[in-house]
Amino acid sequence: MYLADGHGNFQDRRTWGDGWNIASSFNTSSANPFTGKSEILGRNAQGTLCYYPVMNNGQLAGRQQMGNTAGWAGADLSYVSSLDTDGQPELVEIANNWLYEDGAVVSAGWSRYNLVVGPGDLNNDGQGDLLARDGSGTLWLQRYNGAQSFASRLKVGGGWNAYDKNVGAGDLTGDGLADLVARTGDGKLYLYTGQGRLRPALQVAPLHRSRLATV
């Protein structure tokens, strides 16, 4: 098995079990789909967390409960794109100034942020990244460098408290780079296109409701 490294090359080959002599050929030219690569995660008013796995056919499987009933009440959660190379999303939580990734401690200093978004790899280094907004409305890029740690943060810009929703939306423009969607309080939707640089010069363009379904 040869895994893509995100830069147009492959990682070192690895074995994937035995007994494959019964197969006469293999053919695939894109990501191998698997249930769990993309999911919808939701928490009800009582604090119970559930997820809906994808079925790779445009449909969602039945919801499944995560943890105890009401076990996530009051938790500051974000469901972000994969931070590592396994392609699966991560559940991150901010508690007592610490950031936790799937229950493991990552780093301190996160109580300053009131919003965390994980749109994917924003600086084109093969690792997923986070965008975090502080109380003044300044947006920061937190560059994940693997091993559950982040490089020094980079300032994206101010004025992000004008938006009541920010969503990491994957690649909406078809250029292979992660993008961000933001909504103002009066219902205007904006698309910020990732530039794939060390300091991402996120560019803004209005995204009309009628166009959203066809981007």
Side-chain angles (χ1 to χ4, degrees), residues 146-192:
Q148 293 184 319
S149 63
F150 290 88
S152 58
R153 65 178 186 169
L154 294 176
K155 183 178 179 180
V156 176
W160 287 82
N161 50 3
Y163 302 113
D164 61 358
K165 294 290 183 181
N166 290 281
V167 179
D171 177 20
L172 287 176
T173 58
D175 62 359
L177 301 174
D179 304 313
L180 185 71
V181 171
R183 185 186 70 183
T184 59
D186 58 358
K188 291 186 177 67
L189 197 62
Y190 290 88
L191 169 65
Y192 284 84

Side-chain angles (χ1 to χ4, degrees), residues 113 132-140 153 155-161:
Y113 302 121
R133 185 185 65 190
D134 64 23
S136 70
T138 300
L139 193 68
W140 299 88
R153 65 178 186 169
K155 183 178 179 180
V156 176
W160 287 82
N161 50 3

Side-chain angles (χ1 to χ4, degrees), residues 30-50:
S30 62
N32 294 310
F34 59 94
T35 300
K37 184 172 183 179
S38 298
E39 302 163 341
I40 292 178
L41 197 65
R43 179 175 55 182
N44 65 21
Q46 289 72 42
T48 301
L49 201 63
C50 296

Side-chain angles (χ1 to χ4, degrees), residues 78-86 88-92 101-102:
S78 297
Y79 200 41
V80 304
S81 296
S82 181
L83 293 176
D84 47 36
T85 58
D86 65 4
Q88 299 193 54
E90 322 284 358
L91 180 63
V92 299
E101 175 202 342
D102 292 332

